[in-house]
Amino acid sequence: MARRKHSSVEEEAQIDMTPMLDIVFIMLIFFIVTTSFVKPSGLDYNKPEASTATKKPSANIFIGVSKTGTIMMENRLVDIERVTANVERMLAEAPEAAVLIQADKDAKHGLVIKVMDSVKKAGVDKISVSAGKD
């Protein structure tokens, strides 16, 4: 019996791409799940200037206070009486959340203090007030 030689075209090496694609999709899912999405307060405001302002990592809860006294959370108008309840609800979703208050430079000081008190009543110790650098 004569042996036939196989042609080199038939025995061409093939690379299986399935395991690599599985890993890529798993990494994609991991990054989507672990990404924190920024929820803007929904207000256009002018930040007050501060020469000692420092950059903080992004907070999870944004509260906007306009110069007209409007308070916004998650793109919704909120009464000052409901700030505590809304922050408590958001803390239930993310217990390690920090709060960033974005107040207009012409906003009433007393209202900003009331918002800070409401946030403290909800149990948040990490409160920052947004300011721009000179």
Side-chain angles (χ1 to χ4, degrees):
M1 275 207 272
R3 290 189 172 180
R4 293 190 333 181
K5 292 185 178 180
H6 297 288
S7 66
S8 63
V9 176
E10 291 177 15
E11 292 186 15
E12 203 173 295
Q14 294 184 359
I15 299 174
D16 188 13
M17 299 294 284
T18 306
M20 185 185 74
L21 290 174
D22 288 344
I23 290 172
V24 169
F25 284 127
I26 289 171
M27 289 174 56
L28 177 67
I29 291 169
F30 172 77
F31 288 123
I32 289 172
V33 170
T34 59
T35 301
S36 64
F37 297 100
V38 176
K39 298 175 187 174
S41 64
L43 285 177
D44 291 330
Y45 64 97
N46 296 320
K47 290 182 187 177
E49 299 296 325
S51 60
T52 59
T54 58
K55 189 102 170 141
K56 296 279 185 184
S58 64
N60 297 74
I61 300 173
F62 293 97
I63 301 173
V65 181
S66 72
K67 62 183 172 184
T68 60
T70 305
I71 301 170
M72 297 282 288
M73 293 178 72
E74 295 182 320
N75 293 326
R76 293 181 298 117
L77 286 173
V78 178
D79 291 332
I80 188 66
E81 296 84 21
R82 302 296 302 154
V83 171
T84 303
N86 280 298
V87 171
E88 286 173 346
R89 178 183 52 81
M90 290 179 193
L91 277 178
E93 297 171 6
E96 295 297 317
V99 173
L100 177 64
I101 298 174
Q102 299 171 327
D104 191 276
K105 68 180 179 181
D106 297 325
K108 298 212 183 275
H109 180 71
L111 181 61
V112 176
I113 296 300
K114 285 181 183 178
V115 169
M116 290 175 76
D117 283 343
S118 297
V119 170
K120 281 275 195 184
K121 285 179 190 173
V124 176
D125 292 324
K126 296 179 274 185
I127 302 172
S128 299
V129 178
S130 178
K133 260 196 140 139
D134 287 333

Coordinates of all heavy atoms in Angstrom, one line a residue, residues 50-100:
A50 N -13.2 79.8 44.8 CA -12.5 79.6 46.0 C -11.0 79.3 45.7 O -10.7 78.4 44.9 CB -13.1 78.4 46.7
S51 N -10.1 80.0 46.3 CA -8.7 79.9 46.0 C -8.1 78.6 46.6 O -7.1 78.0 46.2 CB -7.9 81.0 46.5 OG -8.1 81.2 47.9
T52 N -8.8 78.0 47.6 CA -8.3 76.8 48.3 C -9.2 75.6 47.8 O -9.1 74.5 48.5 CB -8.4 76.9 49.8 OG1 -9.8 77.2 50.2 CG2 -7.5 78.0 50.3
A53 N -9.9 75.7 46.8 CA -10.7 74.6 46.3 C -9.9 73.4 45.9 O -8.8 73.6 45.3 CB -11.6 75.0 45.1
T54 N -10.3 72.2 46.3 CA -9.5 71.0 45.9 C -10.4 70.1 45.1 O -11.7 70.1 45.3 CB -9.0 70.2 47.1 OG1 -10.1 69.9 48.0 CG2 -8.0 71.1 47.9
K55 N -9.8 69.3 44.3 CA -10.6 68.3 43.4 C -10.9 67.1 44.3 O -10.0 66.5 44.9 CB -9.8 67.9 42.2 CG -10.5 67.1 41.2 CD -10.9 68.0 40.1 CE -11.5 67.1 39.0 NZ -12.6 67.7 38.3
K56 N -12.2 66.7 44.4 CA -12.6 65.6 45.1 C -13.1 64.5 44.1 O -13.5 64.8 43.0 CB -13.8 65.9 46.0 CG -13.5 66.9 47.1 CD -12.8 66.3 48.2 CE -12.6 67.3 49.4 NZ -11.9 66.7 50.5
P57 N -13.0 63.2 44.5 CA -13.6 62.2 43.7 C -15.0 62.4 43.6 O -15.7 63.0 44.4 CB -13.2 60.9 44.4 CG -12.9 61.3 45.8 CD -12.4 62.7 45.8
S58 N -15.6 61.9 42.5 CA -17.0 62.2 42.2 C -17.9 61.6 43.3 O -17.7 60.5 43.7 CB -17.4 61.6 40.8 OG -17.3 60.2 40.9
A59 N -18.9 62.4 43.7 CA -19.8 62.0 44.7 C -20.9 61.2 44.0 O -21.1 61.2 42.8 CB -20.4 63.2 45.4
N60 N -21.7 60.5 44.8 CA -22.7 59.7 44.2 C -24.1 60.4 44.2 O -25.0 60.0 43.5 CB -22.8 58.4 45.0 CG -21.6 57.5 44.9 OD1 -20.6 57.9 45.5 ND2 -21.6 56.5 44.1
I61 N -24.3 61.3 45.1 CA -25.5 62.0 45.3 C -25.3 63.5 45.0 O -24.5 64.1 45.7 CB -26.1 61.8 46.7 CG1 -26.4 60.3 46.9 CG2 -27.4 62.6 46.8 CD1 -26.8 60.0 48.3
F62 N -26.0 64.0 44.0 CA -25.8 65.4 43.6 C -27.1 66.2 44.0 O -28.2 65.7 43.7 CB -25.6 65.6 42.1 CG -24.3 65.1 41.7 CD1 -24.2 63.8 41.1 CD2 -23.1 65.8 41.8 CE1 -23.0 63.3 40.7 CE2 -21.9 65.3 41.4 CZ -21.9 64.1 40.8
I63 N -26.9 67.3 44.7 CA -28.0 68.2 45.0 C -27.7 69.6 44.5 O -26.7 70.1 44.8 CB -28.2 68.2 46.6 CG1 -28.5 66.9 47.1 CG2 -29.4 69.2 46.9 CD1 -28.5 66.8 48.7
G64 N -28.6 70.1 43.7 CA -28.4 71.4 43.1 C -29.3 72.4 43.8 O -30.5 72.2 44.0
V65 N -28.7 73.6 44.1 CA -29.5 74.7 44.7 C -29.3 75.9 43.8 O -28.2 76.4 43.6 CB -29.0 75.0 46.1 CG1 -29.8 76.2 46.7 CG2 -29.1 73.8 47.0
S66 N -30.4 76.4 43.2 CA -30.3 77.6 42.3 C -30.4 78.9 43.1 O -30.8 78.9 44.2 CB -31.4 77.5 41.2 OG -32.7 77.8 41.8
K67 N -30.2 80.0 42.4 CA -30.2 81.3 43.0 C -31.7 81.7 43.3 O -31.9 82.5 44.2 CB -29.6 82.4 42.2 CG -30.2 82.6 40.8 CD -29.4 83.6 40.0 CE -29.9 83.6 38.6 NZ -29.1 84.6 37.8
T68 N -32.6 81.0 42.7 CA -34.1 81.3 42.9 C -34.6 80.4 44.1 O -35.8 80.6 44.4 CB -34.9 81.0 41.7 OG1 -34.8 79.7 41.3 CG2 -34.5 82.0 40.6
G69 N -33.8 79.5 44.7 CA -34.2 78.7 45.8 C -34.7 77.3 45.3 O -35.3 76.6 46.1
T70 N -34.5 77.0 44.1 CA -35.0 75.7 43.6 C -34.0 74.6 44.0 O -32.8 74.8 43.8 CB -35.1 75.7 42.1 OG1 -36.0 76.8 41.7 CG2 -35.6 74.4 41.5
I71 N -34.5 73.5 44.5 CA -33.6 72.4 44.9 C -33.9 71.2 43.9 O -35.0 70.8 43.7 CB -33.8 71.9 46.3 CG1 -33.6 73.1 47.3 CG2 -33.0 70.7 46.7 CD1 -34.0 72.8 48.7
M72 N -32.8 70.7 43.3 CA -33.0 69.6 42.3 C -32.2 68.4 42.8 O -31.0 68.5 43.2 CB -32.5 70.1 40.9 CG -33.2 71.2 40.3 SD -34.8 70.7 39.6 CE -34.2 69.8 38.2
M73 N -32.8 67.2 42.7 CA -32.1 66.0 42.9 C -32.6 65.0 41.8 O -33.8 64.9 41.6 CB -32.5 65.4 44.3 CG -31.9 66.2 45.4 SD -32.4 65.5 47.0 CE -31.4 64.1 47.1
E74 N -31.7 64.3 41.1 CA -32.0 63.4 40.0 C -32.9 64.0 39.0 O -33.9 63.4 38.6 CB -32.7 62.1 40.6 CG -31.7 61.3 41.5 CD -32.4 60.0 42.0 OE1 -33.6 60.1 42.3 OE2 -31.7 59.0 42.0
N75 N -32.6 65.3 38.6 CA -33.4 66.0 37.6 C -34.9 66.2 38.0 O -35.7 66.3 37.2 CB -33.3 65.4 36.2 CG -31.9 65.5 35.7 OD1 -31.2 66.4 35.9 ND2 -31.5 64.4 35.0
R76 N -35.1 66.2 39.3 CA -36.5 66.5 39.8 C -36.5 67.6 40.8 O -35.5 67.7 41.6 CB -37.1 65.2 40.5 CG -37.3 64.1 39.7 CD -37.9 62.9 40.4 NE -37.0 62.4 41.5 CZ -37.3 62.4 42.8 NH1 -38.4 62.9 43.2 NH2 -36.4 61.9 43.6
L77 N -37.5 68.4 40.8 CA -37.7 69.5 41.9 C -38.0 68.8 43.2 O -38.8 67.9 43.2 CB -38.8 70.4 41.5 CG -38.5 71.4 40.4 CD1 -39.8 72.2 40.0 CD2 -37.4 72.4 40.8
V78 N -37.3 69.2 44.2 CA -37.5 68.6 45.6 C -37.7 69.8 46.6 O -37.0 70.8 46.5 CB -36.3 67.8 46.0 CG1 -36.5 67.2 47.4 CG2 -36.0 66.7 45.0
D79 N -38.7 69.6 47.4 CA -38.9 70.6 48.5 C -37.9 70.3 49.6 O -37.4 69.2 49.7 CB -40.3 70.4 49.2 CG -41.4 70.8 48.2 OD1 -41.2 71.7 47.4 OD2 -42.6 70.3 48.3
I80 N -37.6 71.4 50.4 CA -36.6 71.2 51.4 C -37.0 70.2 52.4 O -36.1 69.5 53.0 CB -36.3 72.6 52.1 CG1 -35.1 72.5 53.0 CG2 -37.5 73.1 52.8 CD1 -33.8 72.3 52.4
E81 N -38.3 70.0 52.6 CA -38.7 69.0 53.6 C -38.5 67.6 53.1 O -38.5 66.6 53.9 CB -40.2 69.2 53.9 CG -40.6 70.5 54.6 CD -40.7 71.6 53.6 OE1 -41.0 71.4 52.4 OE2 -40.6 72.8 54.0
R82 N -38.4 67.4 51.8 CA -38.2 66.0 51.2 C -36.8 65.6 50.9 O -36.5 64.5 50.5 CB -39.0 65.9 49.9 CG -40.5 66.2 50.0 CD -41.2 65.2 50.9 NE -41.1 63.9 50.4 CZ -41.1 62.8 51.1 NH1 -41.4 62.8 52.4 NH2 -41.0 61.6 50.6
V83 N -35.8 66.5 51.2 CA -34.4 66.2 50.9 C -33.9 65.1 51.7 O -33.3 64.1 51.2 CB -33.5 67.5 51.2 CG1 -32.1 67.1 51.1 CG2 -33.9 68.6 50.1
T84 N -34.3 65.0 53.0 CA -33.8 63.9 53.9 C -34.3 62.6 53.4 O -33.6 61.6 53.3 CB -34.3 64.2 55.4 OG1 -33.8 65.4 55.8 CG2 -33.8 63.1 56.3
A85 N -35.6 62.5 53.1 CA -36.2 61.3 52.6 C -35.6 60.8 51.3 O -35.3 59.6 51.1 CB -37.7 61.4 52.4
N86 N -35.3 61.7 50.4 CA -34.7 61.4 49.1 C -33.2 60.9 49.3 O -32.8 59.9 48.7 CB -34.7 62.6 48.1 CG -36.0 62.7 47.5 OD1 -36.5 61.8 46.8 ND2 -36.7 63.8 47.7
V87 N -32.5 61.5 50.2 CA -31.1 61.1 50.5 C -31.1 59.7 51.1 O -30.3 58.9 50.8 CB -30.4 62.2 51.3 CG1 -29.0 61.6 51.8 CG2 -30.2 63.4 50.5
E88 N -32.0 59.5 52.1 CA -32.1 58.2 52.7 C -32.4 57.1 51.7 O -31.9 56.0 51.7 CB -33.2 58.2 53.8 CG -32.8 58.9 55.0 CD -33.9 59.1 56.0 OE1 -35.1 58.9 55.7 OE2 -33.6 59.5 57.2
R89 N -33.3 57.4 50.7 CA -33.6 56.4 49.7 C -32.4 56.1 48.8 O -32.1 55.0 48.5 CB -34.8 56.9 48.8 CG -35.2 56.0 47.7 CD -36.2 56.6 46.8 NE -35.9 57.9 46.3 CZ -35.2 58.2 45.2 NH1 -34.6 57.2 44.6 NH2 -35.0 59.4 44.8
M90 N -31.6 57.2 48.5 CA -30.4 57.0 47.7 C -29.4 56.2 48.5 O -28.6 55.4 47.9 CB -29.9 58.3 47.2 CG -30.8 59.0 46.2 SD -30.0 60.5 45.7 CE -31.4 61.3 44.8
L91 N -29.3 56.5 49.8 CA -28.3 55.8 50.6 C -28.6 54.3 50.7 O -27.7 53.4 50.9 CB -28.3 56.4 52.0 CG -27.4 57.6 52.2 CD1 -27.5 58.1 53.6 CD2 -26.0 57.3 51.8
A92 N -29.9 53.9 50.6 CA -30.3 52.5 50.7 C -29.7 51.8 49.4 O -29.4 50.6 49.5 CB -31.8 52.4 50.7
E93 N -29.6 52.5 48.3 CA -29.1 51.9 47.1 C -27.6 51.9 47.1 O -27.0 51.0 46.6 CB -29.6 52.7 45.9 CG -31.1 52.7 45.7 CD -31.5 53.7 44.6 OE1 -30.7 54.3 43.9 OE2 -32.7 53.9 44.4
A94 N -26.9 52.9 47.7 CA -25.5 53.0 47.7 C -25.1 53.5 49.1 O -25.0 54.7 49.3 CB -25.0 53.9 46.7
P95 N -24.8 52.6 50.1 CA -24.6 53.0 51.5 C -23.3 53.9 51.7 O -23.2 54.6 52.6 CB -24.4 51.7 52.2 CG -25.0 50.7 51.3 CD -24.9 51.2 49.9
E96 N -22.3 53.7 50.8 CA -21.1 54.5 50.9 C -21.1 55.8 50.1 O -20.0 56.4 49.9 CB -19.9 53.6 50.4 CG -19.6 52.4 51.3 CD -19.3 52.7 52.7 OE1 -18.4 53.7 52.9 OE2 -19.8 52.1 53.6
A97 N -22.3 56.2 49.8 CA -22.4 57.4 48.9 C -21.9 58.7 49.7 O -22.1 58.8 50.9 CB -23.8 57.6 48.4
A98 N -21.4 59.6 48.9 CA -21.1 60.9 49.4 C -22.0 61.9 48.7 O -22.6 61.6 47.7 CB -19.6 61.3 49.1
V99 N -22.2 63.1 49.3 CA -23.1 64.1 48.7 C -22.3 65.3 48.2 O -21.4 65.8 48.9 CB -24.1 64.5 49.8 CG1 -25.0 65.7 49.3 CG2 -25.0 63.4 50.2
L100 N -22.6 65.8 47.1 CA -22.1 67.0 46.5 C -23.2 68.0 46.3 O -24.1 67.7 45.6 CB -21.3 66.7 45.2 CG -20.8 68.0 44.5 CD1 -19.7 68.6 45.3 CD2 -20.2 67.6 43.1

